[in-house]
Amino acid sequence: MSDIIRLQGVSKQFRLRNDKSLKERLVNRRASKDNETSFWALKDIDLTVAEGSTIGLVGHNGSGKSTLLKVIGGVLTPSAGIVERRGRLAALLELGAGFHGDLTGRENVFLNASLLGLTKKQTEQYFDAIVDFSGIEEFIDTQVKFYSSGMYVRLAFAVAVHVDPDILLVDEVLAVGDEPFQRKCIERIRQFQGEGRTIVLVTHSLDQVREMCDHAVMLDHGHSILQGTSVEIIRAFRDANDEVAAELLDDATESPASITDVQVTDPDGAPLLAIGPDQPVRFRIGIEAHEPIDDYVVGLALTDNMERLVYGTNTHMLGITVPPANGKHWVEFAVDRLPVVEGQYYVTAAVHPQRGAEWHRVDRAAVVRVRTTASEVGVVHLAPRFSAGAAS
Amino acid sequence: MSGLEQALGADAAPEDQRRHVTGEMTRVFSQARWFHGFWADVREVVQYRELLGNLVRKELKVKYKDSFLGFFWTLVRPLLQLLVYSVAIGFFLGSGKVIPEFGVYLFTGLLAWSLFTDIIGGSTGSIISNAGLVKKVYMPRELFPLSVVGASSVNFAVQLVVLLGAYVVTGSWPAPSNLLLVPLALITLILFATALGLMLAAANVFLRDVQYLVEVGLLLWFWMTPIVYDWTKVQSTLTDAGVPWLFDVYMLNPMANVVLAFQRALWPGGLTEQGAPFYYDGPLALRLVIISAVSLLLLWFAQRVFARAQGNFAQEL
């Protein structure tokens, strides 16, 4: 597959000026230099996107995701580096794709479509489909400034997907629409993927990245830290977040308890690596209390290799009071069956007080491999019985 | 691919049905340099001409949106100016007795002047008022000042109809001999105003004071241009004061030349009763050609300034 977007050493420097008027600049001429601070919103980004792939940009607020998208879209000119791309591009940057508030929805559709490179004739041809997709027929002749943010995004998305783009840039907009519309958008993005169009997505929802993207890029303070498959990136991103949380915790207080180890065993206490879906399993969590602890909660979670949460619970949710402890001890969650589809499952354990920040948490502390005889996809191992017959 | 599609057999389209983008990789931008890229930028604007048409239409629509009289307001301002100056200057100050057909005289000057102010004032704010578009979509940003030029030209054409009406009412028509000055003056005006407008549009993004500066500057400029008074007064006053060379300085004002050309071509009262010309009888055509040439150079310069600035528009808005 050939590349469709190529970035080489792209950097973008922002200058922040706190004074915008002539008076301020003249009056505070001395201070003017001090007021001018600059920072790198993007630094040395190299990125290639293969045609037909879907790539997600993840990172914290202010990590440069949206700036990168704008640079790809050509809205911002980078301070250094090269951006190359092929084909027609449609972008949904922040809210709306460039509507003018004083014009009606109808007029904006035509204006916007011509911004994206469609002729008037082509737009007329797509117009009904656009309005239909957006689902705001009643308001199409209302000025856009009276639209709710959801209506705005609906119309913008409808235009962007109907202009036949080769590349679609989507920035966080899906979060604004209501649930049915979000589903509609995701369906359409799936269809685009099937048709071999290229999609670049900025989102805070890691679930969306996992579901829709095949590759992802993790950004932090303008640097591209990691590029890889979406699962790799999601995992790295979660790990990085945990580090931040752990640092915060260390700063606050020395944690009263920590998790020493997590074991997956059979009922006799022998370690387990692979099991069938109907076998009993025990999850034994070793805890060390650095001071006498009372009224605390132990949590357990299972995630699959796609970072999907398969199961989660804790002693509080189960209505159990954990006996007071001091020093090393253990707790155990025993299940009779683990009815999930074949795959690797990771065990995450956490210990925290009834109220307040968690004391300690270990992600993917143990792994258990589930083997089934059936070939199936999804999460739950249902093992259906099958029958057929003529309808009466 | 997600598990859902895998399970339901909704595989991606077969390889031969998947689309493939043909064509070479193109640079999304290039760092603007001083001596290159003007023609490339011009070519790009030409490519986007359909969008330019839409933006002009948008500009006209948005301007009087939500107003009851709508497009009629285009005519109200010049007509009101005409009334005020006719009464104040023509009647009270007595210019109307000196300058024949004072109403038409005023209107020809105002016609050129309002085109100029529309372009300058409009393009100064054009990037900011279209921030919603500038921040979201790529297009040559020159289109916004240019769309103001287009919309202002349409307004100009409407006002021209009023002038025709004035001819019908007064029954005196301009001599056809000087009519060719009108397109020449119009080209000069548009070139000059577009060049200024491009620079002001870019400057205003970085420093919002520019729009207020422009307002004040235009007021000053108005009185430095022979619209409500006649140029002979300026010349005779300056000669009497012993500084005749100052009149040459006065005539360096491109708008003075444009307005004088409009008056010479479109004002039927340009000749005194003895047949001597009352309008400016210097080599106007030559002057306009020179100003156009200089404006063209200025336009090139303005476009380069604009091109260098536009990369930072989206972040400054």
Coordinates of all heavy atoms in Angstrom, one line a residue, chain A residues 4 12 14 20-22 25 51 73-79 81-87 93 95-98 100 102-103 107 114-115 119-120 143 145 164 166 190 194-195 197 377, chain B residues 3 5 7 13 18-21 23-29 31 50-51 54 58 61-62 65-66 129-130 132-139 141 206-207 209 311-312 314-316:
Chain A
I4 N -0.3 8.0 1.7 CA -1.2 9.1 1.3 C -0.9 10.4 2.0 O -1.1 11.5 1.5 CB -2.7 8.6 1.4 CG1 -3.6 9.6 0.7 CG2 -3.1 8.5 2.9 CD1 -4.9 9.0 0.3
K12 N 5.9 23.0 15.0 CA 5.1 24.2 15.0 C 5.3 25.0 16.3 O 5.1 24.4 17.3 CB 3.6 23.9 14.8 CG 2.7 25.1 14.9 CD 2.7 25.9 13.6 CE 2.1 27.2 13.7 NZ 2.3 28.0 12.5
F14 N 4.3 28.2 18.6 CA 3.3 29.2 18.8 C 3.9 30.3 19.6 O 4.6 30.1 20.6 CB 2.1 28.6 19.6 CG 1.1 27.8 18.8 CD1 0.6 26.6 19.3 CD2 0.7 28.3 17.6 CE1 -0.3 25.9 18.5 CE2 -0.2 27.6 16.8 CZ -0.7 26.4 17.3
K20 N -2.6 42.6 22.9 CA -3.0 42.5 21.5 C -3.2 43.9 20.9 O -3.4 44.0 19.7 CB -4.3 41.7 21.4 CG -4.7 41.2 20.0 CD -4.4 39.7 19.9 CE -4.1 39.3 18.5 NZ -3.9 37.9 18.3
S21 N -3.3 44.9 21.7 CA -3.6 46.2 21.1 C -2.4 47.1 21.1 O -1.4 46.9 21.8 CB -4.7 46.9 21.8 OG -4.2 47.4 23.0
L22 N -2.4 48.1 20.2 CA -1.3 49.0 20.0 C -1.0 49.7 21.3 O 0.2 49.9 21.7 CB -1.6 50.0 18.9 CG -0.5 50.8 18.4 CD1 0.6 50.0 17.7 CD2 -1.0 51.8 17.4
R25 N 0.9 47.7 23.7 CA 2.3 47.5 23.3 C 3.1 48.7 23.5 O 4.3 48.6 23.9 CB 2.3 47.1 21.8 CG 1.9 45.6 21.7 CD 2.4 45.0 20.4 NE 1.5 43.9 20.2 CZ 1.5 43.2 19.1 NH1 2.2 43.6 18.1 NH2 0.7 42.2 18.9
E51 N -2.3 4.5 2.5 CA -3.6 4.7 1.9 C -4.6 3.6 2.5 O -4.2 2.5 2.6 CB -3.5 4.6 0.4 CG -4.8 5.0 -0.3 CD -4.6 4.9 -1.8 OE1 -3.5 4.8 -2.3 OE2 -5.7 4.9 -2.4
G73 N -4.3 19.2 7.6 CA -5.3 19.8 6.8 C -4.9 21.1 6.1 O -5.7 21.6 5.3
G74 N -3.7 21.6 6.4 CA -3.3 22.8 5.7 C -3.8 24.1 6.3 O -3.6 25.1 5.8
V75 N -4.5 24.0 7.5 CA -5.0 25.2 8.1 C -3.9 26.0 8.8 O -3.9 27.2 8.8 CB -6.1 24.8 9.1 CG1 -6.6 26.1 9.8 CG2 -7.3 24.2 8.3
L76 N -3.0 25.3 9.4 CA -1.8 25.9 10.0 C -0.6 25.6 9.2 O -0.4 24.4 8.7 CB -1.6 25.4 11.4 CG -2.5 25.9 12.5 CD1 -2.2 25.2 13.8 CD2 -2.4 27.4 12.6
T77 N 0.3 26.5 9.0 CA 1.5 26.3 8.4 C 2.6 26.0 9.4 O 2.8 26.7 10.3 CB 2.0 27.6 7.6 OG1 0.9 28.0 6.8 CG2 3.1 27.3 6.7
P78 N 3.3 24.8 9.3 CA 4.3 24.5 10.3 C 5.5 25.4 10.2 O 5.7 26.0 9.2 CB 4.7 23.1 9.9 CG 4.2 22.9 8.5 CD 3.1 23.8 8.3
S79 N 6.1 25.6 11.3 CA 7.3 26.4 11.4 C 8.5 25.8 10.7 O 9.4 26.5 10.2 CB 7.7 26.7 12.8 OG 6.6 27.0 13.6
G81 N 9.7 21.8 8.5 CA 9.3 20.5 8.1 C 8.4 20.5 6.9 O 8.1 21.5 6.3
I82 N 8.1 19.3 6.4 CA 7.4 19.1 5.2 C 6.1 18.3 5.4 O 6.1 17.3 6.1 CB 8.3 18.4 4.1 CG1 9.5 19.2 3.9 CG2 7.5 18.1 2.9 CD1 10.5 18.4 3.0
V83 N 5.0 18.7 4.8 CA 3.8 18.0 4.8 C 3.4 17.7 3.4 O 3.3 18.6 2.6 CB 2.6 18.8 5.5 CG1 1.4 17.9 5.5 CG2 3.0 19.2 6.9
E84 N 3.2 16.4 3.1 CA 2.8 16.1 1.7 C 1.5 15.2 1.8 O 1.4 14.4 2.7 CB 3.9 15.3 1.0 CG 5.1 16.1 0.7 CD 6.2 15.2 0.2 OE1 6.5 14.2 0.8 OE2 6.7 15.5 -0.9
R85 N 0.7 15.3 0.9 CA -0.5 14.4 0.8 C -1.1 14.4 -0.6 O -0.7 15.2 -1.4 CB -1.5 14.8 1.8 CG -2.1 16.2 1.6 CD -3.4 16.3 2.3 NE -4.2 17.4 1.7 CZ -4.3 18.6 2.2 NH1 -3.8 18.9 3.4 NH2 -5.0 19.5 1.5
R86 N -1.9 13.4 -0.8 CA -2.6 13.2 -2.1 C -4.1 13.2 -1.9 O -4.5 12.8 -0.8 CB -2.1 11.9 -2.7 CG -0.7 11.7 -2.9 CD -0.3 10.5 -3.6 NE -0.6 9.3 -2.8 CZ -1.0 8.1 -3.3 NH1 -1.3 8.0 -4.6 NH2 -1.2 7.1 -2.5
G87 N -4.8 13.5 -2.9 CA -6.2 13.3 -2.9 C -7.0 14.4 -2.2 O -6.5 15.3 -1.7
L93 N -12.8 19.9 11.9 CA -11.9 20.3 13.0 C -12.7 21.0 14.0 O -13.5 21.9 13.8 CB -10.9 21.3 12.4 CG -10.0 20.7 11.3 CD1 -9.1 21.8 10.7 CD2 -9.1 19.6 11.8
L95 N -15.4 22.2 16.4 CA -16.9 22.2 16.1 C -17.1 22.8 14.7 O -16.7 23.8 14.4 CB -17.6 23.2 17.1 CG -18.2 22.5 18.3 CD1 -19.1 23.4 19.0 CD2 -19.0 21.3 17.8
G96 N -17.9 22.0 14.0 CA -18.3 22.5 12.7 C -17.1 22.5 11.7 O -16.0 22.5 12.0
A97 N -17.5 22.5 10.4 CA -16.4 22.4 9.4 C -16.3 23.8 8.7 O -15.9 23.8 7.6 CB -16.8 21.3 8.4
G98 N -16.6 24.8 9.4 CA -16.4 26.1 8.8 C -17.8 26.6 8.3 O -18.0 26.7 7.1
H100 N -20.8 29.7 8.4 CA -21.0 31.1 8.7 C -22.3 31.2 9.4 O -23.3 30.9 8.9 CB -20.9 31.9 7.5 CG -20.6 33.3 7.7 ND1 -21.5 34.2 8.3 CD2 -19.4 34.0 7.5 CE1 -20.9 35.4 8.4 NE2 -19.7 35.3 8.0
D102 N -24.4 33.5 10.0 CA -25.5 34.3 9.5 C -26.2 33.7 8.3 O -27.2 34.1 7.9 CB -24.9 35.7 9.0 CG -24.6 36.6 10.2 OD1 -25.3 36.4 11.3 OD2 -23.8 37.5 10.1
L103 N -25.6 32.6 7.8 CA -26.2 32.0 6.6 C -27.1 30.8 7.1 O -26.8 30.3 8.2 CB -25.1 31.5 5.7 CG -24.3 32.5 5.0 CD1 -23.2 31.9 4.2 CD2 -25.1 33.4 4.1
E107 N -27.6 27.4 2.8 CA -26.6 28.2 2.1 C -25.2 27.7 2.6 O -24.2 27.6 1.8 CB -26.7 29.6 2.5 CG -27.9 30.3 1.8 CD -28.4 31.6 2.5 OE1 -28.0 31.8 3.6 OE2 -29.2 32.2 1.8
S114 N -18.4 23.8 -1.5 CA -17.5 24.4 -2.5 C -16.2 24.7 -1.8 O -15.2 24.7 -2.5 CB -18.1 25.7 -3.1 OG -18.1 26.7 -2.2
L115 N -16.2 24.9 -0.5 CA -14.9 25.0 0.2 C -14.1 23.7 0.0 O -12.9 23.7 -0.1 CB -15.1 25.3 1.7 CG -15.4 26.7 2.1 CD1 -15.8 26.7 3.5 CD2 -14.2 27.6 1.8
T119 N -18.4 21.2 -7.0 CA -19.1 22.2 -7.8 C -20.6 22.3 -7.4 O -21.1 21.5 -6.6 CB -19.1 21.9 -9.3 OG1 -19.8 20.7 -9.5 CG2 -17.7 21.7 -9.8
K120 N -21.2 23.4 -7.8 CA -22.6 23.6 -7.4 C -23.5 22.4 -7.8 O -24.4 22.0 -7.1 CB -23.1 24.9 -8.0 CG -24.4 25.4 -7.4 CD -24.6 26.9 -7.7 CE -25.9 27.3 -7.1 NZ -27.0 27.6 -7.9
Q143 N -31.0 30.1 10.2 CA -29.6 30.5 10.2 C -28.8 29.6 11.2 O -29.4 29.2 12.2 CB -29.5 32.0 10.7 CG -29.9 32.9 9.6 CD -29.9 34.4 10.1 OE1 -29.1 34.7 10.9 NE2 -30.8 35.2 9.6
K145 N -26.5 30.1 13.2 CA -26.2 30.6 14.6 C -27.3 30.2 15.6 O -27.0 30.3 16.8 CB -26.0 32.1 14.5 CG -27.2 32.9 14.2 CD -26.9 34.4 14.2 CE -28.0 35.2 13.6 NZ -27.7 36.6 13.2
D164 N -17.2 13.1 -0.9 CA -16.4 12.1 -1.5 C -14.9 12.3 -1.3 O -14.1 12.4 -2.2 CB -16.6 12.1 -3.1 CG -16.0 10.9 -3.7 OD1 -15.9 9.8 -3.0 OD2 -15.6 11.0 -4.9
D166 N -11.0 11.6 -0.1 CA -10.0 10.5 0.0 C -9.5 10.4 1.4 O -9.1 9.3 1.9 CB -8.9 10.7 -1.0 CG -9.4 10.7 -2.4 OD1 -10.2 9.8 -2.8 OD2 -9.1 11.7 -3.1
R190 N -17.0 3.4 9.2 CA -16.7 2.0 8.9 C -16.8 1.7 7.4 O -16.0 1.1 6.8 CB -17.7 1.0 9.6 CG -17.4 0.9 11.1 CD -16.7 -0.4 11.4 NE -16.0 -0.3 12.7 CZ -16.7 -0.3 13.8 NH1 -18.0 -0.4 13.9 NH2 -16.0 -0.2 15.0
G194 N -14.1 0.5 4.7 CA -14.3 -0.6 3.8 C -14.0 -0.2 2.3 O -13.5 -1.0 1.5
E195 N -14.3 1.1 2.0 CA -14.1 1.6 0.7 C -12.6 2.0 0.4 O -12.3 2.4 -0.6 CB -15.0 2.8 0.4 CG -16.4 2.4 0.3 CD -17.4 3.6 0.4 OE1 -16.9 4.7 0.7 OE2 -18.6 3.4 0.2
R197 N -10.9 4.3 2.1 CA -10.5 5.8 2.3 C -9.7 5.8 3.6 O -9.7 5.0 4.4 CB -11.8 6.6 2.5 CG -12.7 6.6 1.3 CD -13.9 7.4 1.6 NE -15.0 6.9 0.8 CZ -15.6 7.6 -0.2 NH1 -15.2 8.8 -0.5 NH2 -16.6 7.1 -0.8
V377 N -16.3 -15.1 18.1 CA -15.7 -13.8 18.4 C -16.6 -13.1 19.4 O -17.7 -13.5 19.7 CB -15.5 -12.9 17.1 CG1 -14.5 -13.5 16.2 CG2 -16.9 -12.8 16.4
Chain B
G3 N -14.2 -6.9 15.5 CA -14.8 -8.2 15.6 C -16.1 -8.4 15.1 O -16.5 -9.4 14.5
E5 N -17.5 -6.9 12.4 CA -17.5 -7.2 11.0 C -17.0 -8.6 10.7 O -17.5 -9.2 9.8 CB -16.6 -6.2 10.3 CG -17.2 -4.8 10.2 CD -16.2 -3.7 9.9 OE1 -15.5 -3.8 8.9 OE2 -16.1 -2.8 10.8
A7 N -17.4 -11.1 12.6 CA -18.4 -12.1 12.9 C -19.5 -12.1 11.9 O -20.0 -13.1 11.5 CB -19.0 -11.8 14.3
A13 N -14.4 -4.2 1.3 CA -14.6 -4.4 -0.1 C -13.4 -5.1 -0.7 O -12.3 -4.9 -0.2 CB -14.8 -3.1 -0.8
R18 N -11.8 -1.4 -3.8 CA -11.3 -0.4 -3.0 C -10.8 0.8 -3.8 O -10.2 0.6 -4.9 CB -10.2 -0.9 -2.1 CG -10.7 -1.8 -1.0 CD -9.6 -2.5 -0.3 NE -8.8 -1.6 0.6 CZ -9.1 -1.5 1.9 NH1 -10.1 -2.2 2.4 NH2 -8.4 -0.7 2.6
R19 N -11.0 2.0 -3.4 CA -10.5 3.1 -4.2 C -9.0 3.3 -4.0 O -8.5 3.0 -3.0 CB -11.3 4.4 -3.8 CG -11.1 4.7 -2.3 CD -12.2 5.7 -1.9 NE -11.9 7.0 -2.3 CZ -12.8 7.8 -2.9 NH1 -14.0 7.3 -3.2 NH2 -12.5 9.0 -3.3
H20 N -8.5 3.8 -5.1 CA -7.1 4.2 -5.0 C -6.9 5.6 -5.5 O -7.4 6.0 -6.5 CB -6.2 3.2 -5.8 CG -6.0 1.9 -5.1 ND1 -5.2 1.8 -4.0 CD2 -6.5 0.7 -5.4 CE1 -5.2 0.6 -3.6 NE2 -6.0 -0.1 -4.4
V21 N -6.3 6.4 -4.7 CA -6.1 7.7 -5.1 C -4.9 7.8 -6.0 O -3.8 7.3 -5.8 CB -5.7 8.6 -3.8 CG1 -5.7 10.1 -4.2 CG2 -6.7 8.4 -2.7
G23 N -2.4 10.1 -8.5 CA -1.8 11.4 -8.5 C -0.6 11.4 -7.5 O -0.5 10.6 -6.6
E24 N 0.2 12.4 -7.7 CA 1.5 12.5 -7.0 C 1.2 13.2 -5.6 O 0.2 13.8 -5.4 CB 2.4 13.4 -7.8 CG 3.0 12.8 -9.0 CD 3.9 11.6 -8.7 OE1 4.9 11.8 -8.0 OE2 3.5 10.5 -9.0
M25 N 2.1 12.9 -4.7 CA 2.1 13.6 -3.4 C 2.4 15.1 -3.7 O 3.2 15.5 -4.5 CB 3.3 13.2 -2.6 CG 3.1 11.9 -1.9 SD 2.0 12.1 -0.5 CE 2.4 10.7 0.5
T26 N 1.6 15.9 -3.1 CA 1.9 17.4 -3.3 C 2.1 18.0 -1.9 O 1.5 17.6 -0.9 CB 0.7 18.1 -3.9 OG1 -0.5 17.7 -3.2 CG2 0.5 17.8 -5.4
R27 N 3.0 19.0 -1.9 CA 3.2 19.7 -0.7 C 2.0 20.5 -0.3 O 1.3 21.1 -1.1 CB 4.3 20.8 -0.9 CG 5.7 20.2 -1.1 CD 6.4 20.0 0.2 NE 7.7 19.4 0.0 CZ 8.8 20.1 0.0 NH1 8.7 21.4 0.1 NH2 9.9 19.6 -0.2
V28 N 1.6 20.4 1.0 CA 0.5 21.1 1.5 C 0.7 22.6 1.5 O -0.2 23.4 1.3 CB 0.1 20.5 2.8 CG1 -1.1 21.3 3.4 CG2 -0.3 19.1 2.7
F29 N 1.9 23.0 1.7 CA 2.2 24.4 1.8 C 3.7 24.5 1.4 O 4.4 23.5 1.3 CB 2.1 24.8 3.3 CG 3.2 24.2 4.1 CD1 4.4 24.9 4.4 CD2 3.1 22.9 4.5 CE1 5.4 24.3 5.0 CE2 4.1 22.3 5.2 CZ 5.3 23.0 5.5
Q31 N 7.0 27.2 2.4 CA 7.4 28.4 3.1 C 7.4 29.6 2.1 O 8.1 29.5 1.1 CB 8.7 28.3 3.7 CG 8.8 27.2 4.8 CD 8.1 27.7 6.1 OE1 7.6 28.8 6.2 NE2 7.9 26.8 7.1
E50 N -14.6 29.4 -8.5 CA -16.0 29.1 -8.2 C -16.3 29.4 -6.7 O -17.4 30.0 -6.4 CB -16.4 27.6 -8.4 CG -17.9 27.5 -8.4 CD -18.3 26.0 -8.8 OE1 -17.6 25.4 -9.5 OE2 -19.4 25.6 -8.3
L51 N -15.4 29.1 -5.8 CA -15.5 29.4 -4.4 C -15.6 30.9 -4.2 O -16.3 31.4 -3.4 CB -14.4 28.8 -3.6 CG -14.4 29.1 -2.1 CD1 -15.6 28.6 -1.5 CD2 -13.2 28.4 -1.5
N54 N -18.9 32.1 -4.8 CA -19.8 31.8 -3.7 C -19.5 32.8 -2.5 O -20.5 33.2 -1.8 CB -19.6 30.4 -3.2 CG -20.2 29.4 -4.1 OD1 -21.1 29.8 -4.9 ND2 -19.7 28.2 -4.1
K58 N -22.0 35.2 -0.7 CA -22.2 35.2 0.7 C -22.0 36.5 1.3 O -22.8 37.0 2.2 CB -21.1 34.2 1.3 CG -21.3 34.0 2.8 CD -19.9 33.8 3.5 CE -19.4 35.1 3.9 NZ -18.1 35.0 4.6
K61 N -25.0 38.6 0.8 CA -26.1 38.1 1.5 C -26.0 38.4 3.0 O -26.9 38.9 3.7 CB -26.2 36.5 1.4 CG -27.2 36.1 0.4 CD -27.3 34.6 0.5 CE -27.4 33.9 -0.8 NZ -27.1 32.5 -0.8
V62 N -24.8 38.2 3.6 CA -24.6 38.3 5.0 C -24.7 39.8 5.4 O -25.2 40.1 6.5 CB -23.2 37.8 5.4 CG1 -22.9 38.2 6.8 CG2 -23.2 36.3 5.3
K65 N -28.3 40.7 5.9 CA -29.2 39.7 6.5 C -29.9 40.3 7.7 O -29.4 41.1 8.5 CB -28.3 38.5 6.9 CG -29.0 37.3 7.1 CD -28.8 36.4 5.9 CE -29.8 35.3 5.9 NZ -29.7 34.4 4.7
D66 N -31.1 39.8 7.9 CA -31.9 40.2 9.1 C -32.2 41.7 9.0 O -32.8 42.2 10.0 CB -31.1 40.0 10.4 CG -30.9 38.5 10.6 OD1 -31.7 37.7 10.1 OD2 -29.9 38.2 11.3
S129 N -13.7 38.4 10.3 CA -15.1 38.1 10.2 C -15.3 36.7 9.6 O -16.4 36.1 9.8 CB -15.9 39.2 9.4 OG -15.4 39.2 8.1
N130 N -14.3 36.2 8.9 CA -14.5 34.8 8.4 C -13.6 33.8 9.2 O -13.2 32.8 8.7 CB -14.0 34.8 7.0 CG -15.1 35.4 6.1 OD1 -16.2 34.9 6.0 ND2 -14.7 36.5 5.4
G132 N -14.3 31.7 11.3 CA -14.8 30.4 11.4 C -14.4 29.5 10.2 O -14.1 28.3 10.3
L133 N -14.2 30.2 9.1 CA -13.8 29.4 7.9 C -12.2 29.3 7.9 O -11.7 28.2 7.6 CB -14.2 30.1 6.6 CG -15.7 30.3 6.4 CD1 -16.0 30.9 5.1 CD2 -16.4 28.9 6.4
V134 N -11.6 30.4 8.2 CA -10.1 30.4 8.2 C -9.5 29.3 9.1 O -8.6 28.7 8.7 CB -9.6 31.8 8.6 CG1 -8.0 31.8 8.7 CG2 -10.0 32.8 7.6
K135 N -10.2 29.1 10.2 CA -9.6 28.2 11.2 C -9.9 26.7 10.9 O -9.3 25.8 11.4 CB -10.2 28.5 12.6 CG -9.5 29.7 13.2 CD -9.7 29.7 14.7 CE -11.1 30.1 15.1 NZ -11.3 30.3 16.5
K136 N -10.9 26.5 9.9 CA -11.3 25.1 9.8 C -10.9 24.5 8.4 O -10.8 23.3 8.3 CB -12.8 25.1 9.9 CG -13.3 25.7 11.2 CD -13.5 24.6 12.3 CE -13.5 25.3 13.7 NZ -14.7 26.0 14.0
V137 N -10.9 25.3 7.4 CA -10.7 24.7 6.1 C -9.5 25.4 5.4 O -9.3 26.6 5.6 CB -12.0 24.9 5.2 CG1 -12.0 23.9 4.1 CG2 -13.2 24.8 6.1
Y138 N -8.8 24.6 4.6 CA -7.8 25.3 3.8 C -8.4 25.9 2.5 O -9.1 25.2 1.8 CB -6.7 24.3 3.4 CG -5.7 25.0 2.5 CD1 -4.8 25.9 3.0 CD2 -5.8 24.9 1.1 CE1 -4.0 26.7 2.2 CE2 -5.0 25.6 0.3 CZ -4.1 26.5 0.8 OH -3.3 27.2 0.0
M139 N -8.0 27.1 2.2 CA -8.2 27.7 0.9 C -7.3 28.8 0.8 O -6.8 29.3 1.9 CB -9.7 28.1 0.8 CG -9.9 29.4 1.5 SD -11.4 29.6 2.4 CE -11.2 28.3 3.6
R141 N -6.2 32.2 1.4 CA -6.9 33.2 2.2 C -7.1 34.5 1.5 O -7.8 35.4 1.9 CB -6.1 33.4 3.5 CG -6.4 32.5 4.6 CD -6.1 31.0 4.2 NE -6.4 30.1 5.3 CZ -5.5 29.6 6.1 NH1 -4.3 30.1 6.1 NH2 -5.8 28.7 7.0
F206 N -3.1 40.5 13.3 CA -2.1 40.5 14.3 C -2.3 41.7 15.3 O -1.8 41.6 16.4 CB -0.7 40.5 13.7 CG -0.5 39.3 12.8 CD1 -0.6 39.4 11.5 CD2 -0.1 38.1 13.4 CE1 -0.4 38.2 10.7 CE2 0.1 37.0 12.7 CZ -0.1 37.1 11.3
L207 N -2.9 42.8 14.8 CA -3.0 43.9 15.6 C -4.4 44.5 15.3 O -4.6 45.1 14.3 CB -1.9 44.9 15.3 CG -1.7 46.0 16.3 CD1 -1.2 45.4 17.6 CD2 -0.6 47.0 15.7
D209 N -5.9 47.0 16.3 CA -6.0 48.5 16.2 C -6.1 48.9 14.7 O -6.6 50.0 14.4 CB -4.8 49.2 16.7 CG -4.7 49.0 18.2 OD1 -4.4 47.8 18.6 OD2 -4.9 49.9 19.0
G311 N 0.2 32.0 7.1 CA 0.5 30.7 7.8 C 0.1 30.8 9.3 O -0.2 29.8 9.9
N312 N 0.1 32.0 9.8 CA -0.2 32.2 11.2 C -1.6 32.7 11.5 O -1.9 32.9 12.7 CB 0.9 33.2 11.8 CG 2.2 32.6 11.9 OD1 2.4 31.3 12.1 ND2 3.2 33.4 11.7
A314 N -4.5 31.2 11.4 CA -5.4 30.3 12.2 C -5.1 30.3 13.6 O -6.0 30.2 14.5 CB -5.3 28.9 11.6
Q315 N -3.8 30.6 14.0 CA -3.5 30.5 15.4 C -3.7 31.9 16.1 O -3.8 32.0 17.3 CB -2.1 30.1 15.6 CG -1.0 31.2 15.3 CD 0.3 30.6 15.1 OE1 0.5 29.7 14.3 NE2 1.3 31.0 15.9
E316 N -3.8 33.0 15.3 CA -3.9 34.3 15.9 C -5.4 34.6 16.1 O -5.7 35.6 16.8 CB -3.3 35.4 15.0 CG -1.8 35.3 14.9 CD -1.1 35.9 16.2 OE1 -1.8 36.6 16.9 OE2 0.0 35.6 16.4

